[in-house]
Amino acid sequence: MRIIHMTQILVTLDNHADASLLRRMIENMKGVLATSVQTIKKSEHEEVEEWLNNLHEIKHSINPDLIDMDDERTRYIMSK
């Protein structure tokens, strides 16, 4: 039995991207075996929820030791 390893890359496009053009470009790249296109519709609520989750992830990755709390502008921003 032979095991074949493949790598897949998922690309998310904005609403204004030309999906068919990009798909054709990717299909013509060396090493690409196949492409597929999926359209996923998200409600505005889901988009906002995803955006907030991303912000919370960023918040948890900030090292508070690197913030200069002696700076008055920083203290003002952090108080908000």
Side-chain angles (χ1 to χ4, degrees):
M1 181 198 283
R2 187 172 162 198
I3 299 174
I4 299 173
H5 296 278
M6 292 188 285
T7 302
Q8 291 184 325
I9 299 173
L10 174 65
V11 178
T12 304
L13 304 176
D14 71 18
N15 293 335
H16 305 294
D18 186 342
S20 61
L21 172 64
L22 291 169
R23 181 179 185 179
R24 286 193 311 271
M25 290 172 58
I26 293 168
E27 286 173 338
N28 288 322
M29 291 179 177
K30 183 177 180 180
V32 174
L33 299 176
T35 63
S36 63
V37 176
Q38 293 179 335
T39 302
I40 300 170
K41 295 182 181 182
K42 289 185 180 181
S43 69
E44 190 173 319
H45 174 73
E46 288 174 316
E47 288 184 17
V48 169
E49 192 71 27
E50 183 178 333
W51 183 75
L52 288 174
N53 288 337
N54 288 338
L55 283 179
H56 287 294
E57 286 178 26
I58 292 169
K59 177 180 117 181
H60 294 299
S61 69
I62 294 173
N63 182 352
D65 295 334
L66 300 176
I67 299 172
D68 180 12
M69 291 305 291
D70 294 328
D71 181 71
E72 70 179 66
R73 294 171 294 182
T74 303
R75 280 196 309 271
Y76 173 78
I77 291 169
M78 297 300 283
S79 71
K80 298 297 170 192

